[in-house]
Amino acid sequence: MSGSSLYLDGVSVVFDGFRALNNLSLIIEPGELRAIIGPNGAGKTTMMDIVTGKTRPTTGVVRFGEHDLTRMDEAAIANLGIGRKFQKPTVFDALTVFENLELALKAPRDPWSCLRWVLGAQSRRRIEGVMEEIGLAERARDRAAILSHGQRQWLEIGMLLMQEPQLLLVDEPVAGMTDQETEHTAALLRRIAGQRSVVVVEHDLEFVRALGEKVTVLCEGTVLSEGSIDHVQNDPRVIEVYLGR
Amino acid sequence: MTVRTPFSRRALLAGAAGALAVPAIRPAFAQGSGPIKVGVLHSLSGTMAISETALRDTVLMMVEDQNRKGGILGRKLEAVVVDPASNWPLFAEKARELLQVHKVDVTFGCWTSVSRKSVLPVFEELNGLLFYPVQYEGEEQSKNVFYTGAAPNQQAIPAVEYLMSEDGGGAKRIVLLGTDYVYPRTTNRILRAFLNKKGIADADIMEEYTPFGHSDWQGIVSRVKQFADQGKKTAIVSTINGDANVPFYRELGNQGIKAEDIPCVAFSVGEEELAGIDTKPLVGHLAAWNYFMSVESPVNTEFKKMWGSYIKNDKRVTNDPMEATYTGFKMWAQAVAQAKTTAVDAVRTAMYGQKVDAPSGYTEQMWENHHLSKPVMIGEIQADGQFSIVYKTPQAIKAENWSPYIPENASRAKAG
Amino acid sequence: MSRLLRLLPLLLLLAGPLRAQEGFETAAAGLSGGFAAQVEAVDRLGALGDPRALPILRALSEGRLQKTPEGVLVIGGQDALTGAPAATASLETVRINNRVRGALRGAFGRLELASFSVAERISAAGGLFRARSPDNIAMLEDALGRESDAAARTAMEQALAASRLAAPEAAVKRQGILLLGGTGSPEARSLLLEARAANPDLAAEIDAAVSAIDGRLQLRRAAETAFQGLSLGSVLLLAALGLAVTFGVMGIINMAHGEMVMLGAYTTVVVQGLLRGTPLAPWALPLSVPAAFLVAAAVGVALERTLIRHLYGRPLETLLMTFGVGMILQQAVRLIFGAQNQEVTSPAWMQGIVTLPGGVEVTQNRLWIILFALLVLAVTVAAIRFTRFGLEMRAVVQNRRIASTMGIRTGRVDAMTFAFGSGIAGMAGVALSQIDNVSPNLGTGYIIDSFMVVVFGGVGSLAGTMIGAFTLGLVNKMLEPWAGAVLAKIAVLVGIMLFIQRRPKGLFALKGRAAEQ
Amino acid sequence: MSATTTLAPPPRLQSALVLRGLLLAGLAILALLPLLNRLPVDSVLHVSDFIVAVTGKWICYGVLALAIDLAWGYAGILSLGHGAFFALGGYAMGMHLMRLIGPRGVYGNPVLPDFMVFLGYAELPWTWWGFSSFPFALLMALLVPGLLAGVVGYLAFRSRITGVYLSIITQAMTYALMLAFFRNDMGFGGNNGFTDFKELLGMPLNSGGTRAMLFYAALAVLGLSLLLCRHITQSKLGRVLVAVRDAESRLRFLGYNTTHVKLSVFVLSAMLAGLAGALYVPLVGIINPGEFSPGNSIEAVIWVAVGGRGTLVGALLGAFSVNALKTWLTSFAPDLWLFVLGGLFVAVTLFLPRGLVGLMSRGPGR
């Protein structure tokens, strides 16, 4: 998997006169792990919406490799290899952990194929492998509805892994997690990166520090600063809008 | 829901299940003991409840009355009421239930044509007996149905003749307004043929249909006014059904259409429909029926008294379909008494030629075409919601259920 | 006394030969005959112009004139001609038909043309307009000379024109044609067309007059269509407004909404029944408005507190449940009041036609309903914008948890909001009782239209509901003349469906984050 | 948003076994009815024609309920217009039956149905071409509802119209169709619709034998529909449907084109409903625009809610129990039945969110 890079150039989004993104430009290289931080309303979630096709940019270029993402819908973008984890964990409550992962498994997605789908031994092994990785092997037959908050987060990350994405967008993965769970998650994300690009949006600076990679600071819909965590923490503009005041 | 009841002979004969049946040796009047069962198949809920509940009450009143007189053939009468809920397939189901489960000897029921069409195959298959009390479009004759309401020649044509007469205002231009279903469509087709024959050109006829329960008549009433502004005396013939009449008449009154200028004669508006309207602005508009509550006859006085004491509400009126129910019931009772059985075939034969002094003040007779001879009356709406009778035929008129104005009937032998 | 003076010139004008007295009595005797004899008698009485005829003819037209088997006319126990007490036994009301009524109108015209009341003079002129007899020309000219009221003058001029049109002399006819062409009324058009066949020599003049009228009529008809559209829109608005609150604000799909409207209409019936015969009777309709609001609101509170509050956040379940509630309410009303239509009388001020400037005729009741709909809308908006309750309601809608931490009793606000929406539906019922059947099925006819209006206008937006309702009303009425009532309605429904799929949130969509939830 | 109701997980295992047993027993009893009908009248086990006729009708309703359950209970698409698909299927079959009357009609016209004769039609409208063939009519009974569902569904799902909005749009659809079919000018018999059918596939419709055949045909269709629905719901597609119901946007971000998924299940469901309608018409002997009335569709949805949505047995149970109750009450308590039925609907939504099936298997869950 050679990987493609994510490329945003001059992206603006206007809702009812409110500029959620303002001339945002960003490049994520294959295999890169990038943390994105920024105060509330900085446009982090909107940025993810743009990349995954939920929102269309008012102006600007959004490309993934040679694909123009502004012309594709969510499903097509997902099938291109871009996975997304929501801020609030969303898994399919009525299905078991195993079934959740099975749905996410890379396979033909059209209704007819789904109807005729038979779970092969190889696929089963892959699901079991991911269950091990996210620590839910014991709970394969349990419904997602009865998992704890952290377990749901992991299950969702596991579902992303099943998709075998080239780019993973992760929105606040550790919100509401215990310290131990947070650590576990950071390790998980580090392990994932390398094979693929990962973009993590986070408030928790400790967590970002734990990731130890490049950080982008967004503010009012545009890039304020970019660099290592130490670099951005010492950037006076960042201090003013985000850390200081 | 497991009503397991012994099978009646006639149902058995009718069904192909008869193939396995034990030889049917029981005589036709085998159920000759116990009460005589009278089915009542009128909607008590849904859109038609508004009209049909009064007919249910009429049948119950007649049953009570007959029982006070000792029943028929020494047997008491028992009414079986079901609610087909203005749902046409449910009519068919309930008809089957009445005939097969409750084993009724006779059924009084239906209002709309479609409900009658829905139950017709059931009554024919199981050889039941249905009395249908409402004026309708004709073009039907079943051996299992007695039609006690008017056929088109007993209502529509005399009414239009009246409108064109000097007394009726000498109309030269006719508006045919109707609800879009089979009765108005057929009636208007017959009327158009009749009008053409009388020298009224198609350009002088406006025909318009509205859906059931139509409530916004502004546009149509003003188009009628426009149509009337062409310098010829114009009249409206309304086959508007049920619920739509109240808003129609309100609009007519509010737009100031006076009966002296554009009279409107209706075939589906009776005392019951007028009960919902303030009739003062409508005085002089007309209706054609075979009976009005204001008829002065001893039988009608008796009928109104009976109704008043049964329903215990002095505001409730009588109307034409109720009278048709009354007449039909009386006739059936006479026929049963004469046939000395409730068996359908015998009663049917006894029905032919049966005569009843109806509340209309005329003697009405059942003919072999299963229709009654009836007088035709034209009434003008009065301020009190009653009708003042301005015209009636000298005697009862025989029904032409196959209208001679429908060309397809030309080949039909003039059956009696 | 002065009345007599006023009548004097007329009497002089009409005073026939000395045998007038005798003529009056023989003419009046004809009233007890058949319809044809009655028509003749009425015509003669009108021509004689004897003022004694007026009370007799009035009694005849109002159904108070009776006759003995011998044909003696009696009014209220007195001999109609002599005023002597009359036999009361075996009296029979003298019946009339439309022909007699038409003749009466002409006779009233002649007899009342000199009346004191402007309204009577106008109606008299109207009667003469329809009677259109050249005999009336002199009388009308004379009356016109004395008339000072503008409306009455217009009516008399028209009547005069119509009478002239019927005159034998072509010159007089021409005058009439010109005058009629200037009135622009459809009745005049009808008269002209009728005259055209009989006067081929005047065809050119008549055609010119007719086309002059047609030009003015076209504008009027357009205005009238627009009015009809507004009127339909106001009905839709009334029906939908309550739903805009319960569905738009609270997210409850109340399928029993139509039944709330129906309850409002039945409240009107009950209030009218209670007030009948009391001095308040003429005010029954206005008084029904608050009563209907209270009744429907009370049912709404009961419904919300016992059933609906368990289903918040599950709109589709409220749909199914309230469908059941609707069935129950309908059948309950049917058992209590009977399945028949209930009579609701319209107060006099809501009957008949108002002529707006430009000769546009609109019906009174529809005009009132448009005003009422706008009033209800204003009250609704005011209640939401400017009252404490409205503030709390908006707070709860925006953020229930925070509202509750700020001391707002959210349960109470829910109940009141639902009651408010139901109450509005009840008020709509009062208005609908004036144009539609009051029967248990009243509400079912409006429920789908109401939902369409709310969805089309944009859920949660009262302005959207208003604009949506009027748009749908206007479009429907504009389509109706050439598509027919049913196709117009189908077209509107399909149009809404297509519109919704272009703009899923309706005309006035709430945008931004709040709408995403 | 609205579709994500707090549905407890469907009951599994032990209760599923009970339900399956119940279902099989029910089907077996149904299969026996026409045979019991042929027993001598005096036999204790004899079943009247009426029961057979009424049950036949319920079976059609059962198929309709399955169709609704597949779309609503599984995929969360609450259509309030399934009555329209049912009616369209019915009309297709009705048109075939009308063509088969031939010269036996009142006016004896070999080609035109009676209503066309007296409305003055000169020839058969093009909409009626081909309906003299049974396979064509059956195909249309499937295709027409399927096509309509395809168009409406495509427009709605493409624009992400879900939940309440979808329900209201489908309701408007059936309402518009009702108005259209009431029009006599449409050439479908107006208010009266079609009645007075004579025969089907050469068998006279008013004979008990034909009715038994129709009954078995309906039962077979019910069985096959049940198997089909079971196959779907137990496949991965079934889990995709549940996922659409519970978290549609998540599924979209997993790369599923939910528009296609929903469209397929909606169209399939509409076709099943059409098939149910096609079976229903020869059994009850009438089809008219009343079947399009929005109330009918809502009622059908309520059957499913009463029985228990999201389980196939529940849909059937609901259709049978509500209709049995209705049949019984409209005779037993003609004035009060609406109270009972309305009260039942209220009670079920309030106290039995999982329907009667939920009552039987008070498993874990809420």
Side-chain angles (χ1 to χ4, degrees):
Chain A
M1 176 178 349
S2 63
S4 311
S5 53
L6 176 70
Y7 175 81
L8 277 74
D9 187 25
V11 174
S12 296
V13 177
V14 182
F15 296 121
D16 273 344
F18 165 69
R19 272 185 183 271
L21 288 184
N22 189 7
N23 201 15
L24 174 74
S25 300
L26 195 71
I27 296 178
I28 311 283
E29 297 296 341
E32 184 181 350
L33 171 59
R34 173 80 62 96
I36 293 184
I37 59 174
N40 267 334
K44 293 166 297 188
T45 303
T46 311
M47 189 270 292
M48 290 206 163
D49 287 349
I50 291 283
V51 174
T52 52
K54 191 176 177 203
T55 307
R56 300 271 170 233
T58 316
T59 56
V61 178
V62 186
R63 304 184 71 84
F64 185 64
E66 61 267 37
H67 300 280
D68 180 357
L69 298 186
T70 58
R71 289 160 179 242
M72 302 169 79
D73 69 4
E74 294 102 314
I77 292 174
N79 286 326
L80 219 52
I82 298 180
R84 175 175 186 182
K85 205 203 89 45
F86 288 93
Q87 193 169 338
K88 198 176 140 214
T90 9
V91 293
F92 306 117
D93 284 350
L95 302 178
T96 63
V97 168
F98 188 90
E99 287 168 338
N100 266 287
L101 293 173
E102 185 194 8
L103 280 192
L105 178 71
K106 192 166 177 148
R109 266 39 177 155
D110 61 293
W112 183 243
S113 307
C114 291
L115 183 62
R116 303 182 37 185
W117 164 256
V118 181
L119 184 67
Q122 202 187 346
S123 305
R124 175 177 294 278
R125 273 199 302 279
R126 212 177 122 49
I127 294 172
E128 280 161 357
V130 170
M131 284 198 297
E132 288 294 338
E133 192 162 356
I134 57 174
L136 291 175
E138 310 281 283
R139 315 210 53 176
R141 302 261 157 240
D142 285 337
R143 266 151 212 273
I146 58 172
L147 297 181
S148 75
H149 180 78
Q151 285 169 325
R152 289 159 70 87
Q153 295 276 30
W154 291 332
L155 176 56
E156 201 181 4
I157 294 173
M159 287 162 73
L160 291 185
L161 292 179
M162 297 301 307
Q163 275 181 276
E164 299 172 24
Q166 298 179 46
L167 169 65
L168 214 65
L169 304 171
V170 188
D171 202 349
E172 298 197 19
V174 295
M177 279 194 178
T178 62
D179 287 351
Q180 196 190 352
E181 284 173 335
T182 305
E183 234 168 78
H184 187 119
T185 309
L188 187 62
L189 287 176
R190 273 201 304 271
R191 206 158 57 233
I192 293 167
Q195 304 159 24
R196 57 203 96 218
S197 325
V198 178
V199 175
V200 181
V201 165
E202 209 17 281
H203 270 310
D204 185 339
L205 283 181
E206 281 315 303
F207 177 73
V208 173
R209 187 173 291 280
L211 290 175
E213 296 278 342
K214 193 171 171 185
V215 177
T216 297
V217 184
L218 285 192
C219 179
E220 291 177 357
T222 192
V223 175
L224 193 67
S225 177
E226 212 166 68
S228 71
I229 182 78
D230 293 324
H231 169 80
V232 299
Q233 269 185 316
N234 293 322
D235 187 325
R237 285 173 305 173
V238 175
I239 294 170
E240 188 191 337
V241 301
Y242 188 35
L243 307 167
R245 188 152 326 175
Chain B
M1 192 47 233
T2 44
V3 186
R4 239 178 246 122
T5 32
F7 217 19
S8 83
R9 172 181 170 267
R10 62 167 186 257
L12 207 90
L13 275 179
L20 296 182
V22 270
I25 32 168
R26 276 177 288 176
F29 38 93
Q31 341 96 321
S33 55
I36 297 177
K37 287 194 171 177
V38 178
V40 185
L41 187 60
H42 285 299
S43 299
L44 310 179
S45 57
T47 49
M48 290 313 296
I50 211 168
S51 304
E52 292 195 63
T53 42
L55 297 191
R56 184 255 331 244
D57 294 335
T58 310
V59 181
L60 293 181
M61 167 184 88
M62 296 304 290
V63 166
E64 192 185 282
D65 176 66
Q66 196 69 39
N67 280 336
R68 243 195 325 269
K69 294 175 183 158
I72 312 177
L73 304 177
R75 294 162 61 189
K76 287 280 179 199
L77 270 55
E78 183 189 315
V80 182
V81 180
V82 293
D83 178 14
S86 313
N87 174 330
W88 318 135
L90 198 57
F91 263 92
E93 179 189 316
K94 290 285 137 191
R96 189 173 285 279
E97 183 182 343
L98 283 175
L99 290 171
Q100 289 195 320
V101 177
H102 301 292
K103 305 194 183 312
V104 296
D105 297 287
V106 65
T107 302
F108 291 82
C110 300
W111 180 292
T112 60
S113 276
V114 55
S115 63
R116 187 190 69 250
K117 293 263 186 215
S118 167
V119 302
L120 196 64
V122 178
F123 277 92
E124 287 182 346
E125 178 193 329
L126 303 176
N127 197 21
L129 195 56
L130 173 71
F131 279 76
Y132 175 67
V134 184
Q135 106 280 18
Y136 81 118
E137 67 278 2
E139 305 301 301
E140 187 180 299
Q141 181 177 319
S142 163
K143 68 177 177 53
N144 297 92
V145 182
F146 283 99
Y147 307 81
T148 60
N153 75 311
Q154 293 171 310
Q155 193 183 19
I157 288 177
V160 174
E161 271 174 335
Y162 176 80
L163 282 179
M164 294 167 68
S165 73
E166 194 189 0
D167 261 349
K172 301 273 187 296
R173 244 166 120 76
I174 302 283
V175 180
L176 303 173
L177 280 188
T179 301
D180 191 5
Y181 74 109
V182 66
Y183 166 66
R185 290 260 177 190
T186 315
T187 305
N188 288 342
R189 184 162 183 230
I190 293 172
L191 286 180
R192 190 179 275 271
F194 172 78
L195 289 170
N196 288 344
K197 214 169 133 189
K198 290 275 171 182
I200 292 187
D202 278 338
D204 285 327
I205 303 175
M206 165 178 167
E207 199 170 336
E208 184 138 355
Y209 295 96
T210 49
F212 281 90
H214 190 62
S215 63
D216 193 333
W217 289 91
Q218 303 179 83
I220 288 168
V221 171
S222 48
R223 279 203 290 291
V224 167
K225 276 170 95 174
Q226 268 177 54
F227 183 79
D229 289 340
Q230 305 301 320
K232 285 183 186 169
K233 175 78 182 181
T234 306
I236 305 171
V237 174
S238 150
T239 37
I240 297 165
N241 182 271
D243 273 16
N245 275 303
V246 172
F248 170 66
Y249 274 106
R250 279 182 191 266
E251 194 65 39
L252 217 54
N254 281 322
Q255 292 208 20
I257 292 193
K258 293 260 185 300
E260 300 96 289
D261 302 322
I262 311 178
C264 170
V265 60
F267 303 151
S268 305
V269 176
E271 291 82 353
E272 185 99 7
E273 285 75 17
L274 289 185
I277 329 178
D278 177 14
T279 53
K280 281 181 212 74
L282 302 177
V283 169
H285 286 302
L286 306 141
W289 288 106
N290 313 103
Y291 163 85
F292 286 108
M293 190 177 180
S294 58
V295 163
E296 282 162 15
S297 78
V299 184
N300 190 32
T301 313
E302 180 60 26
F303 176 47
K304 287 194 288 192
K305 210 178 95 191
M306 194 165 141
W307 175 246
S309 62
Y310 178 81
I311 206 76
K312 296 182 186 66
N313 177 349
D314 54 0
K315 280 201 187 137
R316 292 289 297 274
V317 291
T318 58
N319 65 10
D320 181 281
M322 287 167 63
E323 189 251 10
T325 301
Y326 171 97
T327 310
F329 191 97
K330 286 266 175 195
M331 240 170 219
W332 168 78
Q334 287 177 15
V336 169
Q338 183 184 321
K340 300 199 169 45
T341 168
T342 58
V344 170
D345 294 322
V347 173
R348 179 186 307 121
T349 317
M351 276 298 291
Y352 301 141
Q354 208 63 249
K355 286 182 187 160
V356 160
D357 286 330
S360 63
Y362 293 69
T363 301
E364 299 181 0
Q365 183 180 346
M366 180 56 74
W367 295 82
E368 262 132 58
N369 64 2
H370 283 237
H371 287 67
L372 279 177
S373 54
K374 292 170 101 54
V376 184
M377 307 179 183
I378 315 273
E380 282 189 358
I381 296 175
Q382 302 293 294
D384 58 358
Q386 286 289 321
F387 288 88
S388 146
I389 299 163
V390 292
Y391 168 83
K392 52 185 169 188
T393 48
Q395 61 263 320
I397 292 177
K398 228 178 120 177
E400 283 170 357
N401 50 326
W402 303 107
S403 173
Y405 292 98
I406 292 200
E408 289 77 13
N409 283 334
S411 57
R412 195 177 298 278
K414 288 228 184 271
Chain C
M1 196 59 205
S2 61
R3 179 172 185 135
L4 261 180
L5 279 176
R6 214 183 148 86
L7 282 170
L8 206 57
L10 186 68
L11 285 176
L12 287 174
L13 188 78
L14 296 169
L18 282 171
R19 284 182 289 119
Q21 172 73 13
E22 190 187 330
F24 170 71
E25 272 165 16
T26 42
L31 293 179
S32 60
F35 293 137
Q38 284 179 334
V39 171
E40 205 193 318
V42 170
D43 282 346
R44 278 177 64 193
L45 286 173
L48 285 172
D50 190 324
R52 283 177 300 165
L54 207 50
I56 302 180
L57 294 182
R58 282 237 172 84
L60 179 65
S61 102
E62 286 159 17
R64 287 183 287 111
L65 190 68
Q66 296 169 303
K67 63 180 177 190
T68 63
E70 296 79 36
V72 179
L73 296 172
V74 178
I75 303 174
Q78 293 179 322
D79 188 306
L81 298 180
T82 63
T88 48
S90 63
L91 283 175
E92 188 193 340
T93 302
V94 179
R95 276 211 290 260
I96 56 175
N97 70 359
N98 283 328
R99 250 182 94 208
V100 180
R101 246 176 240 116
L104 276 170
R105 202 158 55 179
F108 283 139
R110 293 179 67 89
L111 294 170
E112 287 180 345
L113 197 59
S115 160
F116 282 105
S117 133
V118 175
E120 274 184 8
R121 291 203 299 277
I122 293 178
S123 98
L128 293 179
F129 176 85
R130 289 190 174 80
R132 48 175 189 280
S133 150
D135 303 347
N136 299 332
I137 295 178
M139 191 173 67
L140 277 164
E141 281 171 345
D142 185 70
L144 204 53
R146 279 176 285 110
E147 187 58 64
S148 52
D149 184 85
R153 284 190 69 89
T154 316
M156 287 178 186
E157 276 162 5
Q158 288 201 22
L160 185 57
S163 309
R164 283 189 176 149
L165 187 63
E169 305 86 3
V172 182
K173 275 187 191 170
R174 286 213 173 82
Q175 280 184 307
I177 293 169
L178 275 179
L179 263 170
L180 284 175
T183 61
S185 78
E187 292 85 4
R189 185 175 186 276
S190 174
L191 275 189
L192 286 167
L193 284 177
E194 193 180 336
R196 194 180 186 283
N199 302 287
D201 46 321
L202 295 173
E205 278 99 332
I206 292 181
D207 286 346
V210 167
S211 68
I213 295 179
D214 281 348
R216 291 169 68 172
L217 277 184
Q218 216 161 22
L219 272 176
R220 260 178 62 176
R221 297 232 156 98
E224 277 165 17
T225 306
F227 175 80
Q228 288 165 7
L230 288 180
S231 161
L232 178 61
S234 68
V235 170
L236 291 175
L237 175 61
L238 277 171
L241 209 49
L243 206 64
V245 174
T246 51
F247 175 45
V249 177
M250 305 179 78
I252 296 166
I253 314 262
N254 185 11
M255 290 303 282
H257 176 75
E259 276 61 49
M260 297 295 176
V261 175
M262 185 257 300
L263 287 180
Y266 272 88
T267 309
T268 314
V269 172
V270 171
V271 169
Q272 274 195 349
L274 289 177
L275 296 184
R276 190 160 294 140
T278 71
L280 284 174
W283 299 101
L285 199 65
L287 288 173
S288 302
V289 174
F293 180 89
L294 290 177
V295 168
V299 175
V301 168
L303 201 60
E304 200 278 341
R305 283 294 88 184
T306 53
L307 304 175
I308 289 172
R309 73 189 173 102
H310 302 290
L311 294 177
Y312 279 120
R314 290 150 70 189
L316 295 175
E317 258 111 333
T318 59
L319 186 157
L320 301 181
M321 189 193 70
T322 49
F323 184 74
V325 172
M327 285 166 72
I328 294 175
L329 284 177
Q330 241 186 58
Q331 187 65 5
V333 167
R334 194 174 283 126
L335 285 187
I336 296 169
F337 290 91
Q340 281 72 26
N341 284 335
Q342 299 290 316
E343 179 178 348
V344 180
T345 45
S346 302
W349 45 267
M350 277 190 76
Q351 288 178 3
I353 291 179
V354 197
T355 311
L356 300 181
V360 179
E361 293 185 338
V362 299
T363 50
Q364 291 257 33
N365 66 342
R366 299 254 172 201
L367 194 61
W368 280 106
I369 287 173
I370 293 178
L371 294 178
F372 182 67
L374 293 176
L375 182 77
V376 172
L377 177 71
V379 169
T380 311
V381 170
I384 293 176
R385 285 263 169 86
F386 304 122
T387 64
R388 173 88 201 161
F389 153 67
L391 185 68
E392 291 185 351
M393 185 178 107
R394 282 177 290 149
V396 171
V397 168
Q398 277 175 18
N399 195 324
R400 171 172 299 269
R401 268 211 346 268
I402 292 185
S404 126
T405 56
M406 292 180 65
I408 295 174
R409 287 154 66 197
T410 56
R412 202 173 129 252
V413 172
D414 285 336
M416 281 180 62
T417 311
F418 192 77
F420 183 60
S422 304
I424 295 172
M427 295 201 288
V430 179
L432 292 184
S433 76
Q434 292 300 308
I435 50 171
D436 207 341
N437 291 289
V438 181
S439 78
N441 308 328
L442 170 71
T444 29
Y446 292 96
I447 186 79
I448 290 181
D449 289 341
S450 310
F451 272 111
M452 292 321 271
V453 167
V454 175
V455 170
F456 174 68
V459 173
S461 158
L462 288 180
T465 303
M466 181 187 78
I467 293 175
F470 284 118
T471 312
L472 296 184
L474 283 169
V475 170
N476 203 328
K477 284 294 158 188
M478 283 183 324
L479 290 177
E480 209 185 285
W482 55 271
V486 190
L487 279 187
K489 186 149 190 194
I490 295 173
V492 167
L493 283 173
V494 173
I496 296 175
M497 286 166 65
L498 291 176
F499 179 85
I500 299 288
Q501 74 94 23
R502 301 285 319 158
R503 289 188 66 148
K505 302 285 175 196
L507 218 46
F508 283 68
L510 299 174
K511 291 181 193 136
R513 280 198 174 180
E516 303 273 304
Q517 310 299 290
Chain D
M1 62 161 196
S2 44
T4 32
T5 49
T6 49
L7 254 191
R12 297 231 161 172
L13 292 169
Q14 77 279 31
S15 51
L17 278 176
V18 174
L19 286 176
R20 185 173 306 171
L22 203 76
L23 179 68
L24 290 176
L27 290 177
I29 292 175
L30 285 179
L32 280 175
L33 283 182
L35 296 176
L36 295 179
N37 174 244
R38 299 212 163 196
L39 286 178
V41 181
D42 315 321
S43 161
V44 212
L45 288 175
H46 174 80
V47 168
S48 75
D49 277 5
F50 170 70
I51 296 290
V52 177
V54 151
T55 339
K57 198 171 110 174
W58 298 344
I59 291 176
C60 300
Y61 288 155
V63 178
L64 175 62
L66 279 181
I68 290 174
D69 195 27
L70 190 63
W72 180 39
Y74 286 89
I77 305 167
L78 177 51
S79 152
L80 294 184
H82 259 57
F85 304 133
F86 182 80
L88 284 173
Y91 264 93
M93 185 52 71
M95 284 158 81
H96 175 60
L97 293 167
M98 286 305 269
R99 297 286 281 116
L100 289 185
I101 295 174
R104 279 168 291 184
V106 170
Y107 299 108
N109 188 313
V111 178
L112 297 183
D114 285 343
F115 76 88
M116 288 193 191
V117 174
F118 71 65
L119 287 179
Y121 279 69
E123 54 182 20
L124 207 62
W126 63 270
T127 41
W128 283 68
W129 293 348
F131 278 95
S132 51
S133 142
F134 178 77
F136 180 81
L138 201 59
L139 191 67
M140 286 298 127
L142 290 170
L143 282 190
V144 174
L147 204 66
L148 178 66
V151 172
V152 172
Y154 175 72
L155 291 177
F157 300 143
R158 190 191 60 166
S159 324
R160 310 259 161 98
I161 294 173
T162 52
V164 174
Y165 290 86
L166 185 83
S167 305
I168 291 174
I169 281 199
T170 47
Q171 187 172 40
M173 173 194 80
T174 190
Y175 184 58
L177 279 169
M178 177 178 82
L179 292 176
F181 273 78
F182 264 121
R183 280 169 52 84
N184 273 289
D185 294 335
M186 283 276 288
F188 296 115
N191 172 56
N192 272 22
F194 309 141
T195 48
D196 208 19
F197 307 132
K198 306 289 187 209
E199 56 160 64
L200 179 63
L201 294 172
M203 300 179 295
L205 273 177
N206 62 354
S207 87
T210 313
R211 266 205 299 276
M213 293 284 286
L214 281 171
F215 184 92
Y216 281 121
L219 196 61
V221 168
L222 179 72
L224 290 175
S225 313
L226 196 60
L227 286 179
L228 175 70
C229 291
R230 208 179 101 91
H231 180 65
I232 291 172
T233 53
Q234 303 224 323
S235 74
K236 186 169 136 193
L237 182 59
R239 297 190 281 282
V240 171
L241 294 182
V242 171
V244 165
R245 179 187 78 195
D246 291 348
E248 183 179 347
S249 81
R250 185 81 205 86
L251 197 66
R252 228 182 270 134
F253 288 115
L254 279 182
Y256 286 86
N257 189 327
T258 53
T259 305
H260 288 177
V261 173
K262 287 162 82 175
L263 197 56
S264 335
V265 73
F266 192 56
V267 168
L268 179 72
S269 166
M271 289 166 81
L272 264 185
L275 188 60
L279 284 166
Y280 172 83
V281 169
L283 274 166
V284 301
I286 179 172
I287 177 79
N288 71 79
E291 297 295 334
F292 286 103
S293 90
N296 277 20
S297 294
I298 297 182
E299 236 179 81
V301 166
I302 290 179
W303 305 335
V304 178
V306 167
R309 71 184 124 132
T311 59
L312 299 174
V313 192
L316 292 184
L317 188 66
F320 277 84
S321 54
V322 174
N323 281 296
L325 192 67
K326 192 169 164 180
T327 295
W328 178 59
L329 283 175
T330 43
S331 305
F332 178 75
D335 275 328
L336 301 174
W337 69 275
L338 281 167
F339 290 126
V340 181
L341 219 56
L344 175 75
F345 297 166
V346 172
V348 165
T349 37
L350 272 189
F351 303 116
L352 290 178
R354 283 162 54 203
L356 295 175
V357 166
L359 187 69
M360 278 180 226
S361 53
R362 279 221 169 271
R366 356 185 58 207

